[in-house]
Amino acid sequence: MSLNTFNAEEADNLEDIERQFAVVAVEQAETYWNLLTKIKGSKLRLTKFDDDIYETFIKYFPEYQDVERVKNFKEDELKSKERKVKWREFCGEFEENVEDYNFGTLLRTNANDEYGQEGTIFVVRIQFYAFEIARNRAGLNDWICEKN
Amino acid sequence: MSAPNVSILSKNEKKSKDMLVKLGLKRVPGIIRVAYRKKNNEIIAIEKPEVYRTPGGNYVVFGEPKVDDFTQKLAAAQEQAQASGIVPSEADVATKSPADIQADMQAAADAIESGAGKVEEEDDGEVDAGDLSNDDIELVMQQANVAKNDAIKALKSHNGDIVNAIMSLSK
């Protein structure tokens, strides 16, 4: 659930709110993973704006047309100083349309791995969409469904 | 439909009311009628109820429940009209035997018990799917284990975002 229903009157202390933030991120990851075990990633549509997100992603970061780079990337590619500036611009494009575009979200650095202690990083929702939409389109997540 | 006038204000009920007040429940004044709408559009109504509100925002309702099955009455009336060719007056109401009424009352009482007296807002009108794709709706129905209408509503309120829709339903 988005935090829009958050009621300031009934809020506990700050610690609990921060924990809630992590809880939502984990729930989102679990829900997404469950989806991938039920339906092939290549057939999955995540939002109404998948096409927009993908096009903008490639426009800002043409290097990710290379399937291998979408499949497996380094945290630095998202979080180094220079890259961050570019990513911030990219994120701004979706401020209006995409729900929770700036929510903290877990993302696998390698499409061949499950969510785990290693290889899972913390990004914003729109970065998650960008990579996972690209991976799904390339069929990189189909193995999760076929495994069962 | 006239229901037999049963006194339900037992000793136990009085006791439980006292306890509820001790637990910090506040009486909500001025409520004339509480209606529960069930999935099949059956309406259970409590006239002149006593309503208490918990600090957490849940409600406890005391009163005499009556089944107010509007759609069934309507269907019965239509059948009658077709069969006889005339518009029936009170015929559909009169066909209800006392046993039927008893059964309805029992069903209503069971429903109240299982609902633990909690007021739920349910809206079961047919929901327009709009431009949502059928695949998405089915996926949400399966994953969150909900009815079609709920799936459509969740998808709409999350602007077609499947993961967010499922998450909101599985809370």
Side-chain angles (χ1 to χ4, degrees):
Chain A
M1 195 193 291
S2 74
L3 287 175
N4 291 339
T5 53
F6 177 73
N7 183 348
E9 297 288 328
E10 285 169 18
D12 284 318
N13 53 37
L14 194 68
E15 208 178 313
D16 273 359
I17 297 166
E18 294 210 326
R19 216 175 285 149
Q20 188 61 26
F21 180 60
V23 169
V24 172
V26 171
E27 273 177 0
Q28 198 272 350
E30 273 177 2
T31 310
Y32 179 58
W33 185 262
N34 278 339
L35 270 176
L36 287 178
T37 60
K38 298 281 160 22
I39 184 170
K40 275 190 184 176
S42 49
K43 293 199 177 115
L44 185 65
R45 209 172 49 95
L46 288 173
T47 70
K48 267 189 189 163
F49 311 103
D50 281 14
D51 291 339
D52 279 350
I53 294 171
Y54 184 72
E55 269 168 37
T56 314
F57 178 49
I58 295 302
K59 195 177 87 195
Y60 274 77
F61 306 98
E63 62 269 31
Y64 291 119
Q65 272 169 311
D66 179 358
V67 172
E68 286 305 311
R69 294 207 49 183
V70 171
K71 189 178 187 176
N72 193 354
F73 66 91
K74 297 231 163 23
E75 189 164 5
D76 257 7
E77 294 176 34
L78 274 69
K79 304 200 172 174
S80 72
K81 235 178 189 173
E82 316 85 72
R83 302 283 289 184
K84 251 191 174 166
V85 177
K86 218 172 172 193
W87 275 109
R88 200 170 298 136
E89 275 175 47
F90 171 75
C91 295
E93 296 254 349
F94 299 97
E95 210 169 327
E96 303 282 310
N97 288 336
V98 178
E99 190 186 25
D100 304 342
Y101 82 102
N102 60 354
F103 270 37
T105 308
L106 300 173
L107 175 64
R108 298 165 300 145
T109 53
N110 190 329
N112 285 339
D113 293 335
E114 298 188 14
Y115 283 98
Q117 207 165 8
E118 306 280 320
T120 299
I121 61 167
F122 208 57
V123 300
V124 293
R125 183 66 57 83
I126 193 66
Q127 290 175 313
F128 161 87
Y129 282 143
F131 275 97
E132 290 297 340
I133 288 168
R135 284 169 177 177
N136 283 336
R137 291 194 173 195
L140 295 173
N141 285 329
D142 286 1
W143 63 272
I144 300 162
C145 179
E146 282 155 5
K147 193 176 63 165
N148 296 334
Chain B
M1 183 176 84
S2 71
N5 218 347
V6 193
S7 167
I8 49 159
L9 197 84
S10 67
K11 215 176 178 182
N12 280 338
E13 196 184 329
K14 228 175 186 171
K15 249 191 200 166
S16 63
K17 265 185 210 168
D18 288 345
M19 250 155 85
L20 288 171
V21 175
K22 264 188 213 152
L23 283 170
L25 274 82
K26 291 237 163 64
R27 177 98 192 249
V28 186
I31 293 185
I32 300 165
R33 185 172 187 261
V34 172
Y36 298 81
R37 182 144 101 198
K38 294 194 353 186
K39 284 243 147 52
N40 52 6
N41 248 353
E42 199 175 66
I43 290 173
I44 295 165
I46 302 176
E47 301 286 344
K48 297 193 197 107
E50 279 180 52
V51 179
Y52 294 84
R53 185 180 189 277
T54 68
N58 290 327
Y59 291 88
V60 177
V61 181
F62 288 100
E64 186 186 353
K66 285 180 187 164
V67 177
D68 194 0
D69 196 341
F70 187 70
T71 47
Q72 227 172 56
K73 269 191 205 168
L74 206 70
Q78 259 166 4
E79 251 171 55
Q80 286 262 340
Q82 274 171 357
S84 59
I86 54 151
V87 182
S89 51
E90 294 290 305
D92 57 321
V93 180
T95 50
K96 274 212 158 176
S97 71
D100 283 343
I101 294 169
Q102 282 277 301
D104 282 351
M105 292 285 289
Q106 188 57 48
D110 288 348
I112 298 289
E113 241 170 60
S114 63
K118 214 183 199 183
V119 177
E120 281 176 49
E121 275 179 45
E122 277 189 46
D123 186 1
D124 286 306
E126 187 62 39
V127 180
D128 180 29
D131 57 350
L132 298 168
S133 96
N134 235 355
D135 291 345
D136 291 357
I137 297 167
E138 296 240 329
L139 203 58
V140 173
M141 283 166 69
Q142 281 171 12
Q143 287 289 302
N145 200 12
V146 294
K148 191 169 184 184
N149 282 353
D150 294 332
I152 293 171
K153 264 186 247 164
L155 275 167
K156 271 189 177 165
S157 63
H158 294 279
N159 209 353
D161 187 309
I162 294 176
V163 177
N164 280 350
I166 294 170
M167 278 171 70
S168 74
L169 288 167
S170 34
K171 289 241 155 154

